[in-house]
Amino acid sequence: MFFSSCGDQNKDTTVVDSGTYTGVAETVNADEKEIYVRTDDDKLIELYMTDSTEMMMNGKKVMFDKVEKGQKVKVTVEKKGKKNVPMSVMLMEKDMKKDDMKKDDMKKDDMEDKEMNDKNDNYE
Amino acid sequence: MNEVPSLWRQEVWHALSVHLPIVTLLLSTVFCILWLVTNTSNQSFFKKSTVVMLIIGVIGAWISIYSGEFAYDMAVRKICDPQVLKDHMYWAYFAAYTYSGGLAALIIFEFFITKSLVKYLLILILIAGLGALLYSGHLGASLVYNQGAGTYRPSGDCSEFVE
């Protein structure tokens, strides 16, 4: 407990303009109900959940403990002073690991190659 | 109508516990310097004072850091610039570790052969700790008086204070 907050505080976070952002929950701090969201444009937003923050998943309200590290999220934030206040956090599917993505890409490539070969065979 | 919150709420424990170590740690540095610069007849008094102030201060510092961790959760959601709170916390940890190191050096001092070397080292440690302590205190004051951390803001008509 003594060191967890001290370590997190050195993260290079950005205060973004009010709006809606998609990204990945890079760090989830359950004790402080806090998440760090890495946005699609590579900004790190620090968000402390408040009593008025709505947390949704599949159209239903959920508790904070549903958020997992690496989960894709869509957050609506308001810029207040030098901080971002989360108005709503929508939990989306968990972010795919890079290896899995590579495998999927390779599968797609194989399929495309097969299709091409089949077409070529038909022409011949 | 709003209710006046209890004075025993979690965040107030930090204010309750933080002022004693600020004073005792500050005095430990002052007494340590006096221990170094005064003549032999007063040295014993200043040495004892340094030890007592440092022991009370280090124990108090860790208690106030513990209470500060609880206050953090509330304060970070209320204030407008959380970076000040983070810096306050960073320098508070720095001061607590530095003064703890000073206490360790003082204990070693009793058993060390080259006592004068440890004495000078101790003074350097305590001066570094004092710098961190004062800066952390300054940030703490700015959190309370500029951003209202840990404080209750009464309603415009103060109706909650009318019985």
Side-chain angles (χ1 to χ4, degrees):
Chain A
M1 181 186 180
F2 280 144
F3 304 103
S4 58
S5 307
C6 220
D8 286 345
Q9 73 181 2
N10 295 322
K11 284 177 186 277
D12 193 16
T13 55
T14 310
V15 179
V16 295
D17 290 330
S18 300
T20 302
Y21 298 84
T22 54
V24 173
E26 197 172 274
T27 306
V28 178
N29 190 344
D31 290 341
E32 288 174 8
K33 284 195 175 177
E34 176 197 22
I35 55 172
Y36 286 84
V37 176
R38 176 74 64 186
T39 62
D40 293 341
D41 55 349
D42 204 32
K43 285 175 184 163
L44 189 62
I45 317 175
E46 183 181 22
L47 298 171
Y48 286 92
M49 302 304 123
T50 66
D51 293 339
S52 57
T53 306
E54 274 198 341
M55 189 157 278
M56 309 286 283
M57 192 161 88
N58 298 327
K60 289 177 185 172
K61 280 190 178 181
V62 290
M63 303 294 281
F64 182 79
D65 57 11
K66 293 281 178 194
V67 196
E68 290 176 21
K69 188 180 173 181
Q71 188 152 26
K72 202 164 184 192
V73 292
K74 187 175 182 180
V75 293
T76 302
V77 300
E78 213 171 90
K79 185 180 176 184
K80 286 186 177 174
K82 289 184 178 176
K83 67 176 179 179
N84 284 126
V85 179
M87 308 312 289
S88 71
V89 178
M90 195 181 290
L91 309 181
M92 297 152 95
E93 81 279 12
K94 202 168 180 183
D95 198 37
M96 295 172 90
K97 285 180 183 172
K98 280 182 181 175
D99 292 344
D100 294 340
M101 288 173 80
K102 272 182 189 172
K103 277 180 191 172
D104 276 11
D105 286 344
M106 283 168 69
K107 272 184 189 173
K108 272 183 191 172
D109 288 344
D110 287 346
M111 293 274 278
E112 281 171 5
D113 286 347
K114 263 188 182 179
E115 278 175 16
M116 285 288 283
N117 288 337
D118 289 346
K119 275 183 187 173
N120 287 341
D121 288 345
N122 288 338
Y123 282 125
E124 284 168 11
Chain B
M1 191 174 80
N2 290 344
E3 261 186 47
V4 182
S6 164
L7 255 187
W8 298 105
R9 60 190 190 274
Q10 216 170 41
E11 61 268 25
V12 182
W13 284 96
H14 184 58
L16 190 69
S17 60
V18 80
H19 294 99
L20 176 69
I22 290 175
V23 173
T24 51
L25 291 175
L26 191 150
L27 284 178
S28 73
T29 309
V30 173
F31 284 132
C32 191
I33 293 167
L34 290 172
W35 174 21
L36 180 79
V37 298
T38 53
N39 58 37
T40 48
S41 61
N42 291 327
Q43 274 189 341
S44 172
F45 168 76
F46 288 127
K47 183 186 171 184
K48 280 178 191 166
S49 302
T50 304
V51 174
V52 172
M53 292 296 126
L54 202 50
I55 290 172
I56 295 171
V58 167
I59 293 169
W62 287 109
I63 290 171
S64 63
I65 279 192
Y66 187 72
S67 63
E69 287 276 2
F70 284 111
Y72 182 92
D73 281 355
M74 180 286 310
V76 78
R77 287 169 170 81
K78 194 176 176 183
I79 58 176
C80 297
D81 184 1
Q83 190 57 46
V84 179
L85 179 59
K86 292 173 181 185
D87 291 343
H88 168 63
M89 202 165 145
Y90 175 85
W91 287 106
Y93 268 103
F94 187 94
Y97 277 118
T98 309
Y99 276 107
S100 300
L103 184 59
L106 195 67
I107 292 164
I108 293 166
F109 174 82
E110 291 301 320
F111 306 101
F112 218 75
I113 304 162
T114 53
K115 288 189 177 185
S116 60
L117 182 73
V118 179
K119 196 163 141 184
Y120 284 107
L121 179 70
L122 179 64
I123 285 168
L124 284 178
I125 292 170
L126 296 196
I127 288 172
L130 181 64
L133 181 75
L134 294 178
Y135 187 54
S136 178
H138 162 75
L139 293 172
S142 109
L143 282 168
V144 174
Y145 297 108
N146 289 352
Q147 299 198 54
T151 59
Y152 168 67
R153 289 169 204 176
S155 61
D157 59 0
C158 299
S159 55
E160 65 271 40
F161 288 89
V162 179
E163 288 184 17

